[in-house]
Amino acid sequence: DSVDFSLRGSNVKQEYQFAPDLWTAAVDEDQLSQVVQNLVINAGQAMPEGGSLTVKGKNITLGSDNHTGLPAGRYLLLTIADEGYGISRQDQDKIFDPYFSRKESGSGLGLAVAYAIMKKHDGRITVDSVPGTGTTFSLYLPAARPRFEKTGKQQHEESTTGGHILIMDDENMVRDVAAEMLDFLGYTNSSAKNGEQAITLYRAALSQGKPFDAVLMDLTIPGGMGGKETMARLLEIDPQATGIASSGYANDPIMANFTDYGFSAVIPKPYEMDELRTTLAQALPRKKSESVTA
């Protein structure tokens, strides 16, 4: 969608090639969309008379000695290739520097922002270009770890801490990645895209005698009920409800004072599996101890 939107009205032809078994990655959908849009806009400007833009996605395993400087492991590789003017070798070395620009207008911050976002996701962005032929940007994102890679120790730990978690987030990708992480950690889970759905699912589970052990909820839901109001409603339904606030906005006051709003824990987005494991381990024992006290 980001590619189509950025090239709307242009005479650039788009082609997509994605592996059918593409791995998932824990990303902030809005931030990754910003990266893709920046790259696609640059590509379109490099082809004023038209051309082809090819977007590919595949799985890749990097060894310890690789050209990206990333740790060895499994990565999702997204490449965006154009047939534009190309970039000189000299400029390629500076293209991700803030305020560097080869254009007569513009701040030059687009690629620097893209670089910062990829770094924040523990990934990398690289460029390969031949002047007069075209440019290819490569985005490397750490792949979510598959369930079949569990060690015996992890399986034991997960079997003793499992539970049923409700995920509330308006972004499909965030819900899918969170669900895969929870599966890996040994938790069953259900998903809701807003507070209204979350409350309905929570009521149903409670009435069936199978309450959720925790609700992992996004604080900001455009056009719907967000985490703050949802937490308040859940506590009215079930005073022992355990809520975990999640947000990509570090300056949200709820993230700093989460207990004032009824939450048991917080986890900033984007988060990794170890962070999710630790957060759940901190939140769930609290609920168990409260149940015993009650």
Side-chain angles (χ1 to χ4, degrees):
D1 291 345
S2 297
V3 175
D4 293 338
F5 178 80
S6 300
L7 293 177
R8 185 175 299 171
S10 74
N11 55 352
V12 174
K13 178 183 177 182
Q14 302 122 54
E15 181 180 349
Y16 303 95
Q17 300 176 21
F18 292 98
D21 58 344
L22 206 59
W23 294 329
T24 58
V27 300
D28 183 301
E29 191 171 319
D30 290 337
Q31 291 184 357
L32 184 60
S33 177
Q34 183 180 358
V35 172
V36 173
Q37 286 181 16
N38 281 338
L39 297 179
V40 172
I41 289 172
N42 284 344
Q45 292 174 345
M47 297 183 288
E49 298 179 1
S52 294
L53 180 75
T54 303
V55 181
K56 298 181 180 180
K58 68 176 183 178
N59 304 322
I60 185 171
T61 301
L62 296 178
S64 57
D65 184 18
N66 64 79
H67 70 286
T68 68
L70 289 168
R74 301 163 65 252
Y75 291 85
L76 172 65
L77 173 60
L78 180 69
T79 59
I80 300 175
D82 65 50
E83 299 176 335
Y85 298 135
I87 306 169
S88 69
R89 174 57 60 184
Q90 180 181 0
D91 285 349
Q92 288 180 49
D93 294 335
K94 301 179 292 184
I95 201 167
F96 298 115
D97 294 344
Y99 302 107
F100 173 78
S101 178
R102 298 176 301 126
K103 305 171 187 176
E104 295 181 359
S105 62
S107 66
L109 284 173
L111 290 176
V113 170
Y115 183 88
I117 290 175
M118 293 301 296
K119 185 176 181 180
K120 180 181 178 181
H121 284 77
D122 294 323
R124 190 79 79 245
I125 178 173
T126 64
V127 61
D128 183 32
S129 184
V130 177
T133 301
T135 300
T136 298
F137 284 96
S138 298
L139 308 177
Y140 295 82
L141 289 163
R145 195 173 180 182
R147 289 188 289 276
F148 60 76
E149 287 187 3
K150 292 181 183 179
T151 65
K153 179 180 179 182
Q154 287 172 328
Q155 289 176 337
H156 173 71
E157 290 175 348
E158 290 156 15
S159 66
T160 60
T161 59
H164 192 34
I165 311 299
L166 177 58
I167 307 162
M168 186 191 90
D169 200 291
D170 62 303
E171 296 183 11
N172 293 334
M173 183 179 293
V174 174
R175 293 197 303 271
D176 291 344
V177 171
E180 184 167 340
M181 287 184 177
L182 289 169
D183 286 343
F184 177 82
L185 294 173
Y187 295 91
T188 57
N189 57 85
S190 300
S191 297
K193 65 180 181 180
N194 54 43
E196 292 84 355
Q197 284 189 3
I199 291 170
T200 298
L201 290 173
Y202 196 94
R203 283 185 184 276
L206 199 62
S207 66
Q208 295 169 7
K210 300 178 181 179
F212 288 100
D213 292 286
V215 183
L216 175 62
M217 62 188 88
D218 188 8
L219 291 178
T220 305
I221 304 291
M225 186 187 298
K228 177 183 176 181
E229 185 178 353
T230 302
M231 188 70 247
R233 294 281 297 276
L234 290 178
L235 288 172
E236 292 175 359
I237 299 168
D238 177 13
Q240 295 186 25
T242 296
I244 301 172
S246 182
S247 176
Y249 301 98
N251 59 347
D252 191 310
I254 297 178
M255 297 296 284
N257 305 290
F258 59 92
T259 56
D260 294 346
Y261 299 88
F263 291 98
S264 299
V266 294
I267 183 168
K269 292 196 298 184
Y271 48 82
E272 297 183 357
M273 194 175 305
D274 285 342
E275 294 173 302
L276 183 58
R277 177 192 286 114
T278 300
T279 301
L280 288 168
Q282 292 172 345
L284 295 185
R286 173 182 171 180
K287 178 171 184 176
K288 292 177 181 178
S289 64
E290 289 175 348
S291 298
V292 172
T293 303

